[in-house]
Structures are given as C-alpha cells and as structure tokens.
C-alpha cells in the first residue's frame, strides 16, 4: 500500500465558478456534487468558496456529471469528460427562485425513508407522527424495528441490537436504554439510520445490527431554530426550543425540551401447574413522569482543514407510579390470594459530553479524534404492601398476614469513550481506514431493603441488601480496505477486540476489599471480520453480498446474583457465569430503481451460538428466572422493501415485508440456584415461520395539508421457553403548514390494539401472559420555525461525522 500511495497521481481536477444570475455576484457555499454519467452520486463533492470558485481534485479519467445546487436556486448540471489533464466547466449561473422554493416547502411531500444497499435512513422532519413523540415512540415507526411494552428494542425479530446516539454509545447500555430513549424528544432528532451488517470499522456489539440516532446539528449559515409545544389526550405534553447560529468560523447549537407523560398499563397472568393447580394474576399500573432534555455544542474552525468541538447533552427526570395486582392460587400449603400494592418514584440523571478534533488533509483524506464521558444514575424507591389470605385449614398462621417492604436503589454508572478514525482515498480503487476505539464502563449500585408488617415497624433486612460493582473495559483496533473499479465495489476489514469483565455482588456483611470479596474476573479476545462486495448492473440495478461477525455481551443486571422478589410468584436474579453470544451474518442485497419506484430485496442468514436467554424453572411451588447460555439459532429470511410515488407525487407508499424461518436447537443447561446448588433444565428443538409487515403512506391533500398513516403487523415468534404472539397497530397524522407555522394532529395506536402476549413453559408449569401500556393517544402539536440563514458558514465535510458509513460507496434513493 505504501508503494501504491507513493506512485498515485490524479488524472485531473474539475474546476469552475458559480455566480448569481440576478446580481452577477459569486455564490459562496453552493454544493458541488460529482455524479456518474448515469446520474448516480459519488462520494466526491465540495462547496464553492467566498469567490464562488470550486475544485474537485483527483478525479479519475472518465465521463461524469457535475451537479451544482444552492438553497433558493434552480439546480444546474454540466456533463464533463476527464482525460489526462484538468477540466474547467467555466462559469455556471444559478437563478434564484424563491417562489418555487416556497411552494416546495408548503405543498411538497418529503420522503420519510432513504434506502441504500447497506442501510436505511429515516427522516424525522418528514414524519407527521413524530411531532411531540419520544425517541422510543419514534422507533416504532421504523421498518423492521419493534419496541415492546417495556421500551426494549428489537430489529428483524432479534432483541440483540445496539442503539447509538451520533455514531457512539453515549452511555446507552442494555440496562438503561429504554429509560433514556423515552426521555429524548423526537424534535431533537434529525434522522435514524438502520444498519443490519456494519463493517469492521464499527463496534460488533449487537447481533442484529445497529440503530444510529442522529441528533440535529444543522450546518446552514446564519441563525435559525424552532419552537414546539404539544398536548395529549392523556394529560401529557411537551415543549421544546432549538437554536443554531453558524458563521465562517463557528457552528453552535442549543436546545431544551420538557416532556410530561401519563399513561396506564396492565397485566394478566394465567399459570397452570397441572393436576388442576393454578396461579392467576390481574393488575393495573398507572405511571407518570416528566423530564428536561438539554443539548449544547460548538465547533470552531481553526483553519480550513482543522476544527475542534465540544458538545453534549443531559437529561433530568422524575417518575412516579403505582400498581395493584391480585394474585390467586389453589396450590396446597400456601395463600389463596395475595393483594400486592406497590408505589414507586425515582429521579434519573444522565449526561454525555465529548471533545472532538477533525483534520482534513484533503476532501478524501481525514483524521477524526473523539473523547467522551457518560454518566447515568439517580435514586429510585419502591414500596410493596402484601395482604395474604390463607385457607381455613391452615392453622399455623393467622387468617390474614400483612407484609410491607421499602427498597431504595442508587444507580451509579460511568463510562469513558475514546475513538480515533483515519480515512484516506488514495485512488478510487483504493481506500484505507484504520482506527482505535476504547469503551470503559463502571457501575456501583447499592440496594437497601427495609421490611416489616407496616411502614411503622420496618427494620433493615440484611438478606435483601446488595451492592453490585461492575467493570467492563473494551479496547479495539480495526483496519479496512476498499474501493471501486468501474462497476465493482469492495470493502474488507478486520477488527480485534480485547475486553475484561470484573464483578462483585456484596452482601450486607461483606466489604469492598480484596481479602473479603475478590473480583470475579474474565478476560476475552476475539476477531471480527467483515466483507462487502457490490456490482452495479445496467439500468439502475445493483447487487451486494456481505458478511460480518458480531457479538452480544452480557451487561450489568444480567450478571448480578442479587435476588429481585418484587414479584412474589417469580423471583429473578442474574448469572455471573453468563458468557457472550457470537453470531455470523450473511446478506445478499439487490436494489432496483426507476423514476418513481424503488425495489430492495435482502436475503439473509444469521446463525448464533451460545445464545443468551432469560430462563425460568420451578423449584417446589416457586418460579425462578435467571440468564443462561442455551441453544443455538438460525434465522433464514428475506426482507422486501418497495417504494412508490403515485399520482404525480400526491401519494407516496413505502412497504416493508420481512419473512423468515427461525430454528432453535435442542439444549440442556445446568444453572446455579439461590441455595448454592444447581438445577438442570432443557428444551427441545423448535422451528417456525414468522413474518412482519409495515406500510407507510404519505398523501398530499389540498389546502397545504399532508396526511400520513403507518400500519404494522408482526406474527408469532418462538423463544427458548415459549412464544411471543403477534400483534398489530395503526398510527395516523395530519399536518397543515401556514408559512413559518405548522399544526399537526396525530393519533398513536388508533384502534387501541397494542398488546404484548406470550407463553412460557417448563418442567411442571405452563404460563400465558398479557401486558399493555398506554393505548390510544391523540396529540396536538404546534411548531414555529425562524431564521435568516444568510451568513457564510465554514467549510464542512458532507457527513458531519455523526452518520455512519458501512465502508462501501453504494448509491442511494429517496
């Protein structure tokens, strides 16, 4: 590669100048993009300088199209042919057309989705349903993404998915992700990227892939922003304000959002022990919460090639709720009913801050350095009041017995991130990427439990005291090699990761020292290769094949052996012996585009060994749940995405169908029990066909109205010890634009059909459960946008460093 770099030379530079037709003055910061002769965008682009001049350097010999665009002007295209020398397209004149721009903004329908061979991009501003929502609710509208009643995210039916903010972990873990996503306002999100097979450049965490949430950081010149307020039919609402100011040297942004939520959930459990014995549970759980979300950041351009930045976000919230659950049972020798009333409240505090440095050697030669810090924590408090009723033939206890518990948990997690990325396009057929990434996570969470018959006679229960200390340190190096030769593109990479896991689960009598409680340590090292091959066929057809190896690591609570007894019929605890789960993923992608239609086909095979599963077993008449490595799985499927623009653009349809066969091998496992013994559980092999579908429709109506509706259906899906039943839902929204103002009305769960139903079975029991949260919610949102956007911004890289590129130069379509 050093030899190739030494002899590499440019075939030719493309230069030109852009001026305004009305004034004859140079147009600065106009966008100049290089396209193939067939009109497909390439990764070569730039902006005009203050004199309206541009240069596209080191362009390989061939025929191209130079596209020049600017806000408020009509695009211009110039065909060029690069030979042995430079090419000058001369002076290009842009005509202002503010009337046309206004019509597009007011009446046009912007596509919600952009599809590429290696990722799908969801535009938040184009979604009416996103108005006033949280990030968690927004994800429910993304094709192939599911969000359950607990806010847990899955992709293509697989819950092992990584969620990032701006291309980084930003403190999100499996333990806190659901809470954080519920607090991020959708108004602060620019787009969401879904990547099912990321390259070796990115963390292999998450066997299903990566969902990257890109927060707004607009780079238009001048000052601009927006204000938004909304209210819901359930008494909730939100208010937010965003402001940006950009100059030739500075880019700054700030936003603040307040969110208030109220909803009611419920649950039903029907458990059959055989021989006529049962346990039933019926509960309701109203819950409430409010939070403030803050963002602040600035980038300073030291020179045209160097920039430093500081940015971050923080969230501060309070939540409270209660639940009432009636348990009934006819098991011999125990209570016949248990009325469990619980109350909860807690404060959540989180922050993410980072320092960045970017150096641009040239348009295709860059160095990025990032260092970040994350904190997530806050106290939570729960009380449990249980009123037992016993049958008359039990004489050893009172007819009724009351117990009362209060439990306080002080969550305290910190993590540090460091990342260095180097990229150099030496030639069109030779691009190298290399870098380092480090993630260092620490958790220290004590739990204290008081117990008595009422709040007035409580005492500390040493058996229910716990302090969990957890360290997970990951260091990684990667290298990728890629490029394009005519119609063929390739990218191959290798990532090596070394990590160490250290845990302690202290009891009341233990202290944090090496003599009393030594660390439980495990060291790991693994390699994660990736390969991407793509070929562009005639008439806008593209085909790609790729392979990646990925991992799912156990996190915090899954390793903590402390017992949670909040559910009196199913005690749960973690397993410090839990091992990582590895997966291999193969995909064959095909993309065909027409003027008003697009078709994407993705056939995939995903195999996983040593799968992490939540397992339940029966000991006497009590159920226990913990984590274990059970079974291997194979998913064989195809994802079909169709996009159609009909009736002269008045109707835009996006349809996604995911069809797959899921196979779970037979398994047998020995798990540690609470009394330091072991229990053996097993399961037979199982196979099933599953599918899910989603239809998004955008309709342009008269009077500057836009209508959007999203319908989804997911079939039943197997697990190691049960089945999750299918479900469906419909969301709809209407938006009207009045100049700088817009009014939106949307309805989430229009038919009140969102329910989570599942079965679990094992030796000596069979259980059916149903859970729900929220329900039909109508939201009214009013938004005001402002700004002048006239000042000259500084020189920018096209991606801004927050979006993800899977390492290949593939086309895209809106």
């Amino acid at each position: 590669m050093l030899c190739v770099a030494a002899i590499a030379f440019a075939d030719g530079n493309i230069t030109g100048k852009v001026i305004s037709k009305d004034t004859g003055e140079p147009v600065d910061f106009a966008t100049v993009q290089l396209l193939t002769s067939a009109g497909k965008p390439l990764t070569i682009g730039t902006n005009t300088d203050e004199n309206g001049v541009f240069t596209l350097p080191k362009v390989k010999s061939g025929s191209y199209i130079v596209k020049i665009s600017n806000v408020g002007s009509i695009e211009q295209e110039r065909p060029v042919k690069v030979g042995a020398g430079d090419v000058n397209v001369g002076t290009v004149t842009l005509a202002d057309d503010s009337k046309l721009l206004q019509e597009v903004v007011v009446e046009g329908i912007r596509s919600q989705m952009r599809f590429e061979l290696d990722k799908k991009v969801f535009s938040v501003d184009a979604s009416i349903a996103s108005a006033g929502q949280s990030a968690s609710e927004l994800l429910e509208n993304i094709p192939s993404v599911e969000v359950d009643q607990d806010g847990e995210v899955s992709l293509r039916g697989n819950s092992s998915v990584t969620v990032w903010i701006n291309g980084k972990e930003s403190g999100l873990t499996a333990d806190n992700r659901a809470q954080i996503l519920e607090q991020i306002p959708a108004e602060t999100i620019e787009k969401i990227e879904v990547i099912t097979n990321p390259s070796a450049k990115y963390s292999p965490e998450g066997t299903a892939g990566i969902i990257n949430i890109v927060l707004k950081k607009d780079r238009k010149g001048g000052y601009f922003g927006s204000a938004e307020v909304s209210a819901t039919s359930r008494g909730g609402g939100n208010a937010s304000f965003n402001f940006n100011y950009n100059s030739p040297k500075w880019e700054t942004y700030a936003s603040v959002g307040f969110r208030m939520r109220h909803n009611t959930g419920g649950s039903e459990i029907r458990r059959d022990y055989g021989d006529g014995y049962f346990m039933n549970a019926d509960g309701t759980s109203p819950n409430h919460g409010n939070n403030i979300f803050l963002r602040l950041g600035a980038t300073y351009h030291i020179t045209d090639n160097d920039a430093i930045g500081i940015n971050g976000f923080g969230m501060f919230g309070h939540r409270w709720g209660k639940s009432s659950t009636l348990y009934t049972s006819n098991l011999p020798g125990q209570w016949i009913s248990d009325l469990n009333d619980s109350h909860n409240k807690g404060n959540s505090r989180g922050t993410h801050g980072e320092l960045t440095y970017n150096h641009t050697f040239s348009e295709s030669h860059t160095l990025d350095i990032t260092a970040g810090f994350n904190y997530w924590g806050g106290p939570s408090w729960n009380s449990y009041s249980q009123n037992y009723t016993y049958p008359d033939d039990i004489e050893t206890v009172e007819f009724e017995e009351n117990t009362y518990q209060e439990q306080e948990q002080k969550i305290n997690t910190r993590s540090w991130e460091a990342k260095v990325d180097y990229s150099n396009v030496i030639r069109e057929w030779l691009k190298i990427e290399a870098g380092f990434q480090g993630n260092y996570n620490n958790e220290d969470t004590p739990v204290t439990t008081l117990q008595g018959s009422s709040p007035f006679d409580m005492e500390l229960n040493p058996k229910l005291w716990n302090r969990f200390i957890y360290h997970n340190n990951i260091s990684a190096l990667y290298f990728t090699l890629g490029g394009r030769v005519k119609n063929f593109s390739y990218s191959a990479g290798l990532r090596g990761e070394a990590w160490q896991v250290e845990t302690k689960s202290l009891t009341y009598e233990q202290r944090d020292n090496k003599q009393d409680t030594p660390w439980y340590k495990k060291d790991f090292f693994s390699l994660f290769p990736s390969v991407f091959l793509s070929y562009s066929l005639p008439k806008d057809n593209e085909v790609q094949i790729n392979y990646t190896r990925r991992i799912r690591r156990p996190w915090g609570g899954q390793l903590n052996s402390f017992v949670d007894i909040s559910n009196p019929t199913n005690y749960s605890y973690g397993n410090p012996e839990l091992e990582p789960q590895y997966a291999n993923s193969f995909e064959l992608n095909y993309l065909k585009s027409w003027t008003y239609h697009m078709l994407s086909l993705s056939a995939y095979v995903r195999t996983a060994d040593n799968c992490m599963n939540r397992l339940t077993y029966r000991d006497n008449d009590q159920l226990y749940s913990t984590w274990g490595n059970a079974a291997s799985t194979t998913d064989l499927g195809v994802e079909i995405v169709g996009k159609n623009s009909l009736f002269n653009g008045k109707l835009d349809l996006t349809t996604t169908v995911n069809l797959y066969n899921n196979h779970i091998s037979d398994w047998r496992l020995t798990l540690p029990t609470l009394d330091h013994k072991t229990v053996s559980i097993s399961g037979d092999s199982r196979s099933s066909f599953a599918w899910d579908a989603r239809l998004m429709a955008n309709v342009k109506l008269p009077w500057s109205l836009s209508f959007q509706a999203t319908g989804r259906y997911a079939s039943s899906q197997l697990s190691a010890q049960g089945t999750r039943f299918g479900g469906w839902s419909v969301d709809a929204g209407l938006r009207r634009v009045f100049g700088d103002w817009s009014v939106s009305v949307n309805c989430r769960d229009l038919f009140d059909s969102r329910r989570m139903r599942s079965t679990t079975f094992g030796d000596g029991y069979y259980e059916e459960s149903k859970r729900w949260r929220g329900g039909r919610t109508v939201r009214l949102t009013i938004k005001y946008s402002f700004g002048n956007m006239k000042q000259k911004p500084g020189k920018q890289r096209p991606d801004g460093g927050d979006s993800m590129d899977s390492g290949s130069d593939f086309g895209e379509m809106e």
Side-chain angles (χ1 to χ4, degrees), residues 618-763:
R618 178 182 176 183
D619 187 4
N620 295 321
D621 293 328
Q622 180 67 47
L623 292 189
Y624 298 87
S625 295
T626 187
W627 287 87
N629 297 104
S632 60
T633 63
T634 301
D635 291 333
L636 175 64
V638 59
E639 185 180 64
I640 306 169
V641 180
K643 191 172 185 311
N644 302 277
S645 180
L646 307 174
F647 309 112
N648 295 321
K650 295 185 181 299
L651 173 63
D652 184 88
L653 297 176
T654 301
T655 307
T656 305
V657 180
N658 183 33
L659 312 166
Y660 62 98
N661 184 77
N662 172 244
H663 174 76
I664 303 174
S665 69
D666 58 345
W667 55 276
R668 181 175 298 275
L669 189 64
T670 300
L671 293 172
T673 62
L674 299 180
D675 54 1
H676 305 290
K677 298 180 181 179
T678 59
V679 60
S680 295
I681 57 177
S682 61
D684 297 328
S685 63
R686 311 177 70 200
S687 294
S688 70
F689 174 78
W691 65 283
D692 57 78
R694 193 171 314 221
L695 174 64
M696 296 188 297
N698 305 319
V699 184
K700 176 183 173 183
L701 300 172
W703 309 295
S704 300
L705 286 170
S706 299
F707 173 78
Q708 290 181 356
T710 301
R712 56 168 288 276
Y713 173 80
S715 71
S716 299
Q717 182 183 355
L718 299 182
S719 65
Q721 281 189 300
T723 301
R724 188 187 70 182
F725 291 108
W728 63 280
S729 65
V730 175
D731 300 335
L734 189 68
R735 175 186 289 164
R736 174 72 158 87
V737 178
F738 306 88
D740 295 331
W741 294 82
S742 68
V743 178
S744 302
V745 178
N746 62 68
C747 181
R748 180 177 181 269
D749 198 7
L750 184 62
F751 297 100
D752 203 15
S753 58
R754 274 186 170 94
R755 296 289 189 272
M756 182 177 177
R757 297 172 53 242
S758 63
T759 64
T760 306
F761 58 83
D763 187 15

Side-chain angles (χ1 to χ4, degrees), residues 162 164 169 172-173 202-206 415-419 436-442 470-477 495-502 522-526 528 551-555 580:
T162 294
W164 282 354
E169 290 185 1
L172 271 70
T173 69
Y202 302 101
S203 169
E205 185 69 41
S415 64
W416 292 262
E417 298 177 76
K419 193 175 182 183
F436 164 83
Q437 184 174 354
N439 296 89
Y440 310 102
N441 304 275
N442 301 286
Y470 165 71
H471 299 160
N472 185 17
N473 301 318
I474 306 172
S475 298
L477 293 171
R495 185 183 184 94
E497 291 199 350
W499 69 99
Q500 183 182 70
V501 178
E502 300 177 329
K522 285 188 177 182
D523 295 298
F524 302 88
F525 176 79
S526 191
F528 300 93
I551 188 174
R552 180 186 184 187
R553 297 181 180 93
W555 287 90

Side-chain angles (χ1 to χ4, degrees), residues 520-645:
Y520 184 85
K521 295 184 179 181
K522 285 188 177 182
D523 295 298
F524 302 88
F525 176 79
S526 191
L527 296 175
F528 300 93
S530 67
V531 178
F532 292 78
L533 302 174
S534 175
Y535 190 79
S536 297
L537 301 170
K539 299 182 179 180
D540 295 326
N541 293 270
E542 290 196 54
V543 63
Q544 180 206 65
I545 186 170
N546 60 61
Y547 161 77
T548 62
R549 184 173 189 252
R550 302 190 60 77
I551 188 174
R552 180 186 184 187
R553 297 181 180 93
W555 287 90
Q558 298 170 335
L559 300 170
N560 187 4
S561 57
F562 178 66
V563 184
D564 180 4
I565 62 171
S566 58
N567 181 348
T569 69
N570 191 339
Y571 295 167
S572 61
Y573 60 98
N575 179 7
E577 299 284 349
L578 193 63
E579 294 283 334
Q581 168 186 330
Y582 295 91
N584 295 282
S585 180
F586 302 84
E587 284 195 15
L588 176 63
N589 300 320
Y590 169 76
L591 183 66
K592 167 64 177 175
S593 58
W594 297 268
T595 304
Y596 301 105
H597 308 280
M598 187 279 300
L599 176 66
S600 172
L601 301 175
S602 298
Y604 60 90
V605 179
R606 185 174 59 226
T607 63
D609 298 316
N610 215 33
C611 293
M612 293 166 47
N613 284 283
R614 187 172 182 85
L615 304 172
T616 303
Y617 63 91
R618 178 182 176 183
D619 187 4
N620 295 321
D621 293 328
Q622 180 67 47
L623 292 189
Y624 298 87
S625 295
T626 187
W627 287 87
N629 297 104
S632 60
T633 63
T634 301
D635 291 333
L636 175 64
V638 59
E639 185 180 64
I640 306 169
V641 180
K643 191 172 185 311
N644 302 277
S645 180

Side-chain angles (χ1 to χ4, degrees), residues 182-195:
E182 193 175 54
Q183 297 185 45
I184 298 178
E187 165 67 10
T188 65
I189 300 173
E190 176 185 345
K191 59 186 176 182
I192 295 176
E193 301 173 335
V194 178
I195 306 177

Side-chain angles (χ1 to χ4, degrees), residues 57-58 68 81 95 99 144 167 191 204 222 226 240 388 392 476-477 484 488 584 642 762:
K58 299 180 181 180
I68 302 167
K81 186 172 183 179
K99 181 180 178 181
S144 303
K191 59 186 176 182
S226 64
S240 63
Y388 298 102
D392 295 336
L477 293 171
R484 179 187 293 270
F488 175 73
N584 295 282

Side-chain angles (χ1 to χ4, degrees), residues 44-180:
I44 301 175
T46 188
N47 299 106
T48 56
D49 62 17
E50 59 185 7
N51 298 315
V53 176
F54 68 87
T55 300
L56 297 172
K58 299 180 181 180
V59 179
K60 187 180 178 181
S61 298
S63 297
Y64 302 94
I65 296 174
V66 177
K67 184 174 74 172
I68 302 167
S69 59
N70 194 44
V71 177
S73 301
I74 302 174
E75 292 182 354
Q76 296 290 318
E77 294 184 352
R78 297 290 186 270
V80 297
K81 186 172 183 179
V82 179
D86 297 341
V87 177
N88 191 317
V89 299
T91 300
V92 179
T93 301
L94 291 184
D96 292 337
D97 196 342
S98 57
K99 181 180 178 181
L100 174 62
L101 177 62
Q102 184 180 12
E103 290 175 353
V104 172
V105 171
V106 173
E107 298 183 3
I109 299 178
R110 183 181 174 189
S111 175
Q112 291 187 63
M113 296 293 296
R114 185 174 75 249
F115 296 90
E116 305 175 20
L117 278 170
D118 52 352
K119 64 181 173 183
K120 301 175 183 66
V121 183
F122 181 90
S123 175
V124 176
D125 284 343
S127 171
I128 296 175
S130 67
Q133 290 189 335
S134 66
S136 181
E137 294 169 324
L138 184 61
L139 286 173
E140 296 179 7
N141 294 313
I142 309 297
S144 303
V145 176
E146 297 289 337
V147 182
D148 67 15
Q149 298 294 324
D150 296 319
E152 298 300 331
V153 183
S154 61
L155 177 60
R156 287 180 176 174
N158 187 344
S159 61
S160 176
V161 58
T162 294
V163 179
W164 282 354
I165 299 176
N166 290 341
K168 293 172 283 292
E169 290 185 1
S170 303
L172 271 70
T173 69
D175 293 333
N176 63 27
R177 184 170 66 196
Q179 295 183 50
I180 293 178

Side-chain angles (χ1 to χ4, degrees), residues 282-293:
D282 298 270
T284 59
S285 54
N287 55 82
H288 319 269
N290 54 56
N291 67 276
I292 295 176
F293 183 80

